[in-house]
Amino acid sequence: QHLMLLGGIMTTFTILIVDDNKITTELLFSIFSSYKNFHVITSNSGAECLTILRETEVDLLLLDIMMPEVTGFDVLEEIYLNNPESHMHVLVMSAQNNENLVKKAFALGASDYLMKPLSLIEIVNRVKHYATNFVQEENITRKESTRCHALSTLTQ
């Protein structure tokens, strides 16, 4: 799978997978790192996730909610407080099938909510969906940038 922008330029889609269960992060890493143009980072704690997010531009965050110390909700709150205009999508993963927790995740900015145990087909399709939308948004931005440049050239 290639992520191609207009003009044939390849782009990278960065995914950060955060779960205190190392088996989950290793499994998802092995799946998504096999895709060309997917840059995959893993973390097993909410605190480390926040550090990575400060240092790295991430396009999609796969985030477990129930983690010790810094929870997924803490991470969502931190993202919203520090960067309320973030375009990063957050796909929450949780074994908790509680309507209030689902509502809280969406209220804090989650884009999606997946129940554990994860269906690999479902999570792969969701990630592909976000990656495809990312490329489409990048293409729109490139078109607008090209038009603005052309207009500025005409007015000079």
Side-chain angles (χ1 to χ4, degrees):
Q1 172 124 9
H2 294 281
L3 297 177
M4 193 74 72
L5 293 179
L6 287 175
I9 297 170
M10 300 285 272
T11 189
T12 301
F13 185 72
T14 302
I15 303 169
L16 173 56
I17 303 166
V18 184
D19 197 313
D20 57 323
N21 182 330
K22 289 184 181 185
I23 293 170
T24 300
T25 55
E26 289 171 4
L27 174 65
L28 294 175
F29 177 85
S30 68
I31 291 168
F32 294 118
S33 63
S34 68
Y35 286 81
K36 291 184 189 305
N37 306 98
F38 279 21
H39 175 64
V40 184
I41 306 165
T42 62
S43 170
N44 296 113
S45 78
E48 182 184 32
C49 167
L50 291 172
T51 300
I52 292 168
L53 289 173
R54 284 185 208 101
E55 299 170 354
T56 309
E57 190 170 325
V58 173
D59 302 305
L60 178 63
L61 173 60
L62 302 180
L63 180 65
D64 182 28
I65 287 295
M66 298 302 166
M67 295 184 289
E69 297 173 27
V70 179
T71 69
F73 288 127
D74 297 330
V75 170
L76 284 169
E77 286 176 9
E78 189 73 23
I79 291 168
Y80 182 74
L81 288 174
N82 289 334
N83 194 0
E85 296 180 20
S86 172
H87 295 288
M88 176 180 60
H89 292 283
V90 181
L91 197 159
V92 168
M93 308 176 291
S94 179
Q96 302 295 316
N97 190 13
N98 176 311
E99 187 176 332
N100 290 330
L101 295 179
V102 174
K103 286 180 182 178
K104 182 176 180 179
F106 283 115
L108 290 172
S111 307
D112 213 336
Y113 195 100
L114 286 177
M115 293 300 305
K116 290 181 176 181
L118 296 170
S119 158
L120 293 181
I121 291 171
E122 184 176 11
I123 197 164
V124 166
N125 284 328
R126 301 268 179 109
V127 169
K128 285 180 179 178
H129 168 78
Y130 287 110
T132 300
N133 285 348
F134 168 79
V135 170
Q136 290 171 346
E137 289 169 10
E138 289 292 310
N139 279 332
I140 290 168
T141 302
R142 291 196 60 199
K143 281 182 183 177
E144 289 172 354
S145 176
T146 302
R147 285 185 187 133
C148 288
H149 178 70
L151 285 173
S152 69
T153 305
L154 290 173
T155 58
Q156 291 178 356

